[in-house]
Structures are given as C-alpha cells and as structure tokens.
Amino acid sequence: MPNEYPSLFSPAKIGNLTLPNTLAVAPMTRVTATQEGVPTETMRRYYERFSRGGFGLVITEGSFIDEKFSQTYAYQPGLANVEQATGWSPIVDAIHAYGARAVAQIQHAGALSQGNRYRDGTIAPSAVQPRGEQMNFYRGEGPYPTPRQMSDEEIIDVINSFGRAAALAIKNGGFDGVEIHGANGYLLDQFLTDYTNLRHDRWGGNVEGRLSVSVEVAKSVRCAVGEQTPVGIRISQGKVNDFMHRWSETEAGAELIFGTLAQAGVDYIHVTEFEAWKPAFGEEGHSLVSLARKYAPGVAIIANGNLHDPVRALEMLGDGADVIALGRGALSNPDWPHRVSGDMALSTFDRDLLAPIADIKAAEVV
Ligand SMILES: Cc1cc2nc3c(=O)[nH]c(=O)nc-3n(C[C@H](O)[C@H](O)[C@H](O)COP(=O)(O)O)c2cc1C
C-alpha cells in the first residue's frame, strides 16, 4: 500500500476523466509499428506493462495525423487512417485491463521529419533550416533539410487533419483522450518559435499570431471529439534540436501562451522541461509548471522532466501539477508506482535500451 507519498497515489482528474492516481507515462516514440504505421503486438505488450505496473495514465508516443507531411520517423505509428487507428484498439484494451486510462498523442513533424513514406521533402511555417542534426536512433543522419514554407491552404488542412486524427483515436482506437503535440520542436512548436516562424500573415508575428495554429488545432480537435472527451496540449521551451531554447518574452509570454490555450478549451496542459522544478527563466523565479498553474486556471497541469525521484514528483504536485509524467524513469521502471508504493528500489536509466535504434527491445515485452 502507498505509504510515504500518499498524494502521488490519490485519484486525479483531467477534464471529465478520473485517473486512479497522479502517475502518467510520458509520450515516447519507439518506432515499432509496421512500415505502414499500424501498431503491433510488440507495442501492445510494451504498453500493457505500464498499466500492470500501476501507472494511472498512459500517454502514447506521438502518432502522425495525415498521409502527407506529418510522419516524423520510419516505423512510427499513425492515426491517419482507419487501419492505423483500429490497430491501436488492442493496446488501449490492454492499458484498460489494469485500470489505467489511455491518451493518444497526435503529432505533425513539420521541418523535423526524418522518415516519411508518403511525401518527399518537409514543410514548415517558414523555409528555415532546423538547427541540430537528425537523430541516429530514429534512423536519421546529418543535417535536416530546409523545409518548404506552408501555404495557407496547407495550414488549414493540417488543422483539420489534427481533428480527424483525434476523432479516429476516440472512435476507432478507443482512447479516453487526446494530446496535441505542441512541444519539443515539431510543427506546432515551429509556429510558436520566433526564429522558425518568420511569417507576416495571421499565423506569424507576435506570440498570439505564432500560437494561433495551436489554438485552431485545439478547437478543431475539441469539435471532432466533443465536449466530454479530454483534450490536452503539450508545451515546452526546449526542443529535440535546440535543447536550451527559452521563450524570449519570458513570463509575459508564458502568461499569454497558457492563458490563450486555457481559453481555447483544452482540459490539460502538459508542461515539459529538462528539470521541471527549476526556474523557467533565469536563475530564480517560478517553474514553468507553476506559471502554467497560475495562468491557466481551471485547466489540469501535467508536469514532466526528470521527475523519477518520488521526492521531486511530490514537490511538483506542491508546485501546482495535477499529474506527474515519467519518461525514462518509466522505461527503466515500468512498475514505478508499485515499486514506490512498496518501498522497493528504483532502477537507473540505461541508455543502451535505446541503442542503436530506439525500438522496443525483447526485454521490455516480458
Ligand atoms: C525514447 C524517447 C522518445 C520520446 N518520444 C516522445 C514523443 O513521441 N512525444 C513527446 O512529446 N515526447 C517524447 N519524448 C520526451 C519524453 O516524453 C520526456 O519529455 C523526456 O523523456 C523527459 O522526461 P524524463 O526526464 O521523465 O525522461 C521522448 C523521450 C524519449 C526518451
């Protein structure tokens, strides 16, 4: 039974959905779908372990949303057609079997695509070559190509595709909710980021303009899934290809971003930082989680970032989080909740798990 950390094991709410505890698995791309983006039996067994291990919520890896430019990696699962969405259903059943809830993360790569079976080339808010290099463990190599600037029609099409993918996730996949991937350098974050969005139309300019695609996506997803289904959005400062990025507008930017997303009708905001408890800007001040709590009243907050130590996790509940999401901590301890409630030791993360390719390893499906 839970002992030292009772609040971690108390029920939590996101929108209308009650979670058995505050512990979530963070979205993690493991490139183990078929080439066609259909989820596999290996994925079912991998995801089931987290629910069996006591997590109250499993957020899936990012699934691509259309058969155009959204696919990010080869062997990434999709939610772009009925076959892909239906393929998620046994995984959702396996997650439900042990009492956890299942949320599908939906994603568009934008300029960071490094493996797309549908189209050649990449698209983005502006034709700016991404910083950094492609990820080897997702079969990429060398610099990212320079993307083509999206047309207004393409932006509208992507907004609609997020909605369609969300509807497929709920109707065919059986998911309890959806999370829009607005973080970590992918398409929606490319719109939000000043140096990758050089547009002068309604999708660019100041923070409101740069956030407007995310707002429209949130509305499109809400419209597609209805009022009762939880809808969340993930937000970060850092990116997979620009780890240390900080919002130049600092707290005023955070106020606008979180306030606007709350007004757009999301049920939760998933805030991810490298170390979630650290000041969001500069050497001191509030964490990004506590700023989200402050500026998005009434919206549930999920905190992520190096929170595998239960003392830290508890601290973030005190800082305003409703749910704690673990990434690498869940990979090395798929039964983290059971271990912590049973006073058992935790394993440290072993990078070899993701080498040479980040696909699901045999040891993870026992
Ligand atoms: C292998 C791997 C794959 C990831 N894939 C995704 C993803 O699909 N979507 C996403 O939003 N974040 C993704 N992330 C980021 C994690 O959700 C999380 O933010 C990150 O691991 C930091 O949390 P942690 O310190 O608990 O590991 C991934 C991380 C890892 C390690």
Side-chain angles (χ1 to χ4, degrees), residues 26-30 60-62 105 107 137-138 179 181 183-184 186 234 270 272-274 304-308 325-329 331 349 354 358:
M28 283 178 285
T29 294
R30 300 302 304 273
T60 70
E61 59 205 286
Q105 191 185 59
Q107 173 182 15
F137 76 178
Y138 290 138
E179 175 172 299
H181 198 345
N184 300 359
Y186 298 100
R234 191 173 222 224
H270 184 169
T272 172
E273 291 261 88
F274 174 55
N304 168 252
N306 260 298
L307 297 176
H308 46 271
L326 304 181
R328 291 159 300 170
L331 291 183
F349 178 65
L354 304 173

Side-chain angles (χ1 to χ4, degrees), residues 6 32 48 50 66 79 92 105-106 111-112 120 128 158 208 214 219 228-229 261 278 280 319 323 330 361:
T32 306
E48 182 186 78
F50 298 120
D66 63 18
L79 278 165
V92 173
Q105 191 185 59
I106 48 179
L112 298 194
D120 292 327
V128 176
V158 163
E208 285 103 323
S214 294
K219 290 182 185 163
Q228 303 306 315
T229 302
L261 291 173
K278 292 239 169 109
D319 219 21
V323 172
K361 305 295 182 293

